[in-house]
Amino acid sequence: MEIKTIGVAGTLESSDIQIMISQGSNGIQIDLDSEVIKAYGDQIKKVITDTLNRYGIDNAKVKATDKGALDCVIAARTLAAAQRATETTDKPELEVLQ
Amino acid sequence: MDQVIDLYLNDKAVKAKWEKFLLKLGLHNFSSREVANIDHTLGLVDDDGTLVGTGSIAGNVLKYIAVCNQNATPGSRFNQIVTALQQYQFNQKIFHNFVFTKAKYSASFQHLGFSELAHTDEAAFLESGTPDVQDFLKAIPRVTGQEQKKVAAIVMNANPFTLGHRKLVQLASQENDLVYVFVVATDASLFRTSERMQLVKAGTADLTNVIVVSGGDYLVSQATFPAYFLKTPDDLIITQTTIDARVFKNIIAPALMITRRYLGTEPFSHTTNFYNQSLTNELTPKVKVKVVQRFSNRDQIITATHVRQLIKDNQLDQIAPLVPQTTMAFINSQQHILQTRIKKGMNINGN
């Protein structure tokens, strides 16, 4: 899946995560900002990477600002941002969320 | 539950309420130069309809952000208003934002994913989103073995590119292995950004060790240094020039191995004089600052201001001794377009 523009989803409010996806050329590169990065950083990155891979995105730059989101929220926000970045919001593929 | 609403400051009653709220929270600069360039303002109101937070947008800069934390979880209103401002920006397809704020609020913005580019005792300058300063730096060309070379930088508006600029670049080119010429990116000059870029490139094409690049949002831009483009009180100029100098010293110069910066003296511009002073204070000794006396031709100091005045006065024949042939050719071919811009109110007295 080709990234055509910058896609953003999510907010900076408590229990949410803001995901910004733009073009990349070196795999999935995640710049994560989270207060729980020590405990959950790897898990958050894994959820983002898995969701993008399932959507068919192998190269992307991701900026994630986490405010304590649950995994299901992280996946949903990632999918929404990915659809906006690939301009495919008209064909939702919710099975990506599993 | 607090609600985000639009505040229309051109409504006098709304503006009075907004100002009163900000005053209460210690923000009190409502000079027209600060308020006039606001594109949009949001407010946060509580269940009783009382204003409990606000924030504004000017281009890609967030400003006038303030919240009252009474009867609220600390931080939640701040997060809500910043999210709303970002959402507004995203809808305009602006994904890269700056904030100029009091130093004490820097941490609050960093909690929301902003990264600090520079700060002084009073102010902090942060960015968020993409492309960021690292992307900006990555896109700038390097030469092989750059870390062993003498690398210099010049930042110029080149409005337009004159023989004075040319001589400064030439001198740096002779004294260094590599020279970066950063052209101010903000489009607030008689000559448009793309035109200024083109003129600098054309006017330095023969100097093989000179790389001309855009200064982007980081070198004398509307974001780092708004005072450069507008008349401003001195204390604001000092803060902004210091921030601009620190972004250069701490981020730009090390990444490109720049160890020298060349400046032209500025006999006529108050702001540029301040800027040169700030740069000298801030950059040395890490980056050597070389201030070069303005070049003259027939006892006349060459300035772009003078060239613009001659364009306005339709005295094109007097411009030739002041500019390289490449700039002259451009002015000749674009004479009417340039004069129309002046007639339409483009200010030619600035930088």
Side-chain angles (χ1 to χ4, degrees):
Chain A
M1 193 82 71
E2 189 204 347
I3 294 180
K4 295 181 175 156
T5 179
I6 297 170
V8 199
T11 74
L12 302 172
E13 292 176 58
S14 190
S15 306
D16 202 350
I17 185 168
Q18 188 186 69
I19 305 263
M20 183 180 281
I21 297 175
S22 52
Q23 268 171 4
S25 53
N26 194 13
I28 306 286
Q29 287 178 301
I30 302 173
D31 173 6
L32 172 66
D33 195 343
S34 171
E35 273 141 56
V36 293
I37 196 160
K38 276 203 184 117
Y40 298 108
D42 290 343
Q43 173 63 14
I44 296 170
K45 286 182 183 172
K46 185 177 180 311
V47 174
I48 295 171
T49 308
D50 289 352
T51 308
L52 289 176
N53 288 342
R54 275 201 295 276
Y55 201 61
I57 294 173
D58 303 317
N59 291 299
K61 265 179 55 189
V62 181
K63 280 197 191 243
T65 309
D66 172 58
K67 291 282 146 198
L70 298 172
D71 284 3
C72 56
V73 175
I74 298 169
R77 294 306 197 190
T78 304
L79 176 60
Q83 291 191 317
R84 286 168 189 167
T86 51
E87 294 181 350
T88 52
T89 40
D90 52 333
K91 354 183 203 340
E93 288 186 37
L94 296 177
E95 62 275 16
V96 168
L97 293 178
Q98 291 189 330
Chain B
M1 188 61 194
D2 300 335
Q3 247 192 326
V4 176
I5 56 162
D6 293 313
L7 291 182
Y8 297 101
L9 298 184
N10 40 13
D11 181 325
K12 275 198 184 124
V14 172
K15 186 160 179 239
K17 211 164 117 184
W18 174 78
E19 280 192 14
K20 200 175 141 205
F21 178 74
L22 288 172
L23 278 170
K24 208 172 69 189
L25 290 159
L27 279 138
H28 34 65
N29 177 7
F30 300 108
S31 65
S32 62
R33 64 165 294 281
E34 287 293 329
V35 177
N37 62 6
I38 289 178
D39 299 321
H40 195 66
T41 297
L42 296 176
L44 198 62
V45 290
D46 67 9
D47 292 335
D48 305 329
T50 310
L51 191 62
V52 291
T54 182
S56 294
I57 303 276
N60 62 352
V61 181
L62 314 185
K63 54 205 285 186
Y64 289 115
I65 296 172
V67 290
C68 159
N69 278 324
Q70 215 168 12
N71 309 324
T73 318
S76 75
R77 281 175 175 161
F78 179 77
N79 295 9
Q80 203 180 346
I81 199 81
V82 175
T83 294
L85 290 171
Q86 287 197 336
Q87 220 66 52
Y88 180 85
Q89 293 293 77
F90 297 158
N91 289 339
Q92 320 273 322
K93 301 245 176 280
I94 299 173
F95 296 102
H96 181 218
N97 290 293
F98 292 97
V99 62
F100 219 104
T101 183
K102 291 188 179 178
K104 62 178 174 182
Y105 299 127
S106 179
S108 308
F109 281 100
Q110 288 182 46
H111 278 302
L112 297 185
F114 283 74
S115 26
E116 189 183 270
L117 294 167
H119 71 265
T120 68
D121 289 344
E122 295 84 38
F125 176 59
L126 305 96
E127 72 173 345
S128 85
T130 194
D132 60 15
V133 71
Q134 296 309 327
D135 299 313
F136 168 76
L137 289 169
K138 251 181 247 156
I140 294 176
R142 317 290 209 267
V143 300
T144 42
Q146 187 154 330
E147 53 288 346
Q148 271 93 42
K149 292 194 154 65
K150 255 203 259 174
V151 185
I154 305 173
V155 181
M156 59 174 64
N157 195 20
N159 180 32
F161 187 72
T162 65
L163 278 179
H165 295 117
R166 162 76 198 184
K167 294 238 172 89
L168 185 64
V169 179
Q170 216 171 344
L171 179 73
S173 159
Q174 283 158 5
E175 294 182 348
N176 298 277
D177 299 318
L178 174 65
V179 181
Y180 284 107
V181 176
F182 292 97
V183 181
V184 170
T186 299
D187 207 346
S189 304
L190 173 61
F191 289 79
R192 301 246 158 95
T193 306
S194 59
E195 296 165 350
R196 290 184 288 108
M197 271 305 265
Q198 184 195 327
L199 291 178
V200 179
K201 280 187 178 159
T204 59
D206 58 314
L207 304 171
T208 50
N209 63 344
V210 171
I211 299 180
V212 181
V213 286
S214 164
D217 284 313
Y218 303 98
L219 292 144
V220 192
S221 80
Q222 192 81 268
T224 60
F225 191 4
Y228 187 77
F229 304 96
L230 296 150
K231 278 218 182 310
T232 303
D234 288 351
D235 54 335
L236 258 181
I237 299 180
I238 292 169
T239 304
Q240 291 174 11
T241 52
T242 307
I243 292 276
D244 186 275
R246 288 185 183 175
V247 171
F248 181 80
K249 176 176 74 173
N250 298 332
I251 302 176
I252 312 285
L256 298 170
M257 295 114 196
I258 295 165
T259 51
R260 288 160 159 217
R261 177 138 167 197
Y262 284 69
L263 308 173
T265 53
E266 185 48 84
F268 304 119
S269 165
H270 180 68
T271 308
T272 305
N273 267 332
F274 260 104
Y275 186 42
N276 285 356
Q277 198 54 54
S278 266
L279 282 171
T280 311
N281 295 343
E282 286 295 327
L283 300 189
T284 34
K286 223 167 149 188
V287 176
K288 248 169 108 184
V289 176
K290 190 154 179 183
V291 184
V292 179
Q293 205 60 40
R294 271 289 163 137
F295 297 97
S296 314
N297 197 352
R298 297 177 195 159
D299 296 331
Q300 192 177 35
I301 291 171
I302 298 173
T303 69
T305 314
H306 185 207
V307 174
R308 297 194 296 273
Q309 188 61 45
L310 291 170
I311 295 171
K312 185 187 176 195
D313 298 343
N314 207 17
Q315 294 178 306
L316 261 55
D317 50 323
Q318 291 187 42
I319 296 175
L322 308 175
V323 300
Q325 195 270 324
T326 43
T327 300
M328 194 66 236
F330 181 83
I331 293 174
N332 277 328
S333 71
Q334 303 294 310
Q335 177 187 359
H336 295 294
I337 295 173
L338 294 167
Q339 285 171 340
T340 311
R341 283 182 201 161
I342 296 171
K343 276 194 201 106
K344 277 191 179 158
M346 172 53 83
N347 172 31
I348 58 162
N349 299 319
N351 295 288

